[in-house]
Amino acid sequence: MHRHLILTFMLAVLAASSHAKPAPEPLKASFLAAVAVDEHGRVTDVQFHQEGMSDAIRMPLERDVRGWEFEPARIDGQPAPSVTQLLITVLAEPTGVGDAYALRIIHASNGPAYDQIQPPRYPLTALRSRTAARLVLAVEIDADGKVVAATVDSIRSTGNRHTKMLSTHTIDAVSKWTFIPEQVAGQPIGSSIKVPVNFCLDGVPCFEDDAANGSGGNEPIAERPAVQLKTEVTGRRL
């Protein structure tokens, strides 16, 4: 299954009923872009991975990202041009004026990104016992984006009986995943990342808001990204 962990951004208006039109709700979506940074930390190019991305989102988002400042990657202590994968989560909030929405950045992180992933199979015994869990894996990827090592860094679950089984299934699945690595001076590089995986059931706590190890979301988290985002972007309006 091919995933970049980016969601289609729907700025849709709820259909009017015969009595009253419901108030529009805030909408949230994430976008992934390859961002090129020069040796001075300035953005030189932004390429969003999502096909068919609306210009109403892409243009203001790209314009804003081009003004961000990064700490460039280094080779032998010298700054070098680099490419990093930037994940940005945007919230569209109703303005109260017609169907207009205001866009605000609520999260941004960079490093390697998901390329080809297949979620682990939910073990039948864990499913029958309604065991939900959130695992965070410590993963090493090589310059080709392939997983060379994966271990369970942390696990939270609604029961302890099946944690070993869940860990085994998750490691087996993640070991087959591939990632889009960062590049330094035109060459892809390996990385150490944390990868969260959720086993969720309706009506059972899923720990999706668990912020342990800084992994409150579902995206991979680079422990030491080659390129460091310096600009504080959370809360920025587009």
Side-chain angles (χ1 to χ4, degrees):
M1 180 178 70
H2 183 78
R3 294 177 62 190
H4 286 304
L5 287 199
I6 50 179
L7 307 175
T8 303
F9 199 82
M10 301 291 293
L11 294 182
V13 179
L14 296 175
S17 69
S18 59
H19 301 289
K21 188 175 182 179
E25 296 291 333
L27 302 170
K28 182 172 70 173
S30 296
F31 302 94
L32 183 69
V35 176
V37 177
D38 66 14
E39 62 272 22
H40 303 292
R42 296 186 294 244
V43 175
T44 59
D45 191 34
V46 180
Q47 295 293 330
F48 286 96
H49 290 283
Q50 185 177 21
E51 295 182 2
M53 186 175 174
S54 168
D55 285 346
I57 302 298
R58 182 187 58 79
M59 292 178 67
L61 194 53
E62 179 177 341
R63 182 169 58 248
D64 201 66
V65 170
R66 285 183 177 273
W68 295 3
E69 185 180 1
F70 292 80
E71 181 68 32
R74 294 178 178 270
I75 299 178
D76 297 329
Q78 298 301 313
S82 314
V83 177
T84 190
Q85 302 299 319
L86 179 65
L87 183 72
I88 309 169
T89 302
V90 175
L91 186 68
E93 301 169 299
T95 63
V97 180
D99 297 332
Y101 283 78
L103 303 179
R104 179 166 58 91
I105 296 172
I106 59 175
H107 173 81
S109 60
N110 70 287
Y114 292 122
D115 183 21
Q116 301 281 350
I117 71 172
Q118 181 69 38
R121 181 174 59 86
Y122 215 131
L124 187 58
T125 52
L127 192 61
R128 285 173 174 169
S129 66
R130 297 188 62 76
T131 299
R134 177 180 176 86
L135 295 87
V136 177
L137 270 61
V139 176
E140 299 288 333
I141 64 171
D142 63 16
D144 295 322
K146 296 179 180 179
V147 175
V148 295
T151 58
V152 175
D153 183 72
S154 66
I155 180 170
R156 293 189 65 191
S157 70
T158 56
N160 296 322
R161 287 191 302 160
H162 306 300
T163 54
K164 183 176 181 180
M165 183 184 301
L166 290 169
S167 297
T168 299
H169 278 70
T170 303
I171 291 173
D172 288 346
V174 172
S175 295
K176 299 179 180 68
W177 293 4
T178 59
F179 294 78
I180 307 171
E182 292 183 286
Q183 297 181 26
V184 179
Q187 298 298 317
I189 61 170
S191 301
S192 299
I193 57 178
K194 296 291 181 65
V195 175
V197 177
N198 293 319
F199 290 87
C200 299
L201 292 168
D202 289 341
V204 180
C206 200
F207 311 107
E208 288 187 338
D209 295 327
D210 180 15
N213 300 315
S215 56
N218 294 314
E219 70 279 0
I221 302 163
E223 293 192 280
R224 294 177 298 277
V227 178
Q228 300 279 346
L229 176 60
K230 295 176 64 177
T231 302
E232 177 55 56
V233 301
T234 301
R236 289 173 71 102
R237 295 191 178 276
L238 302 176

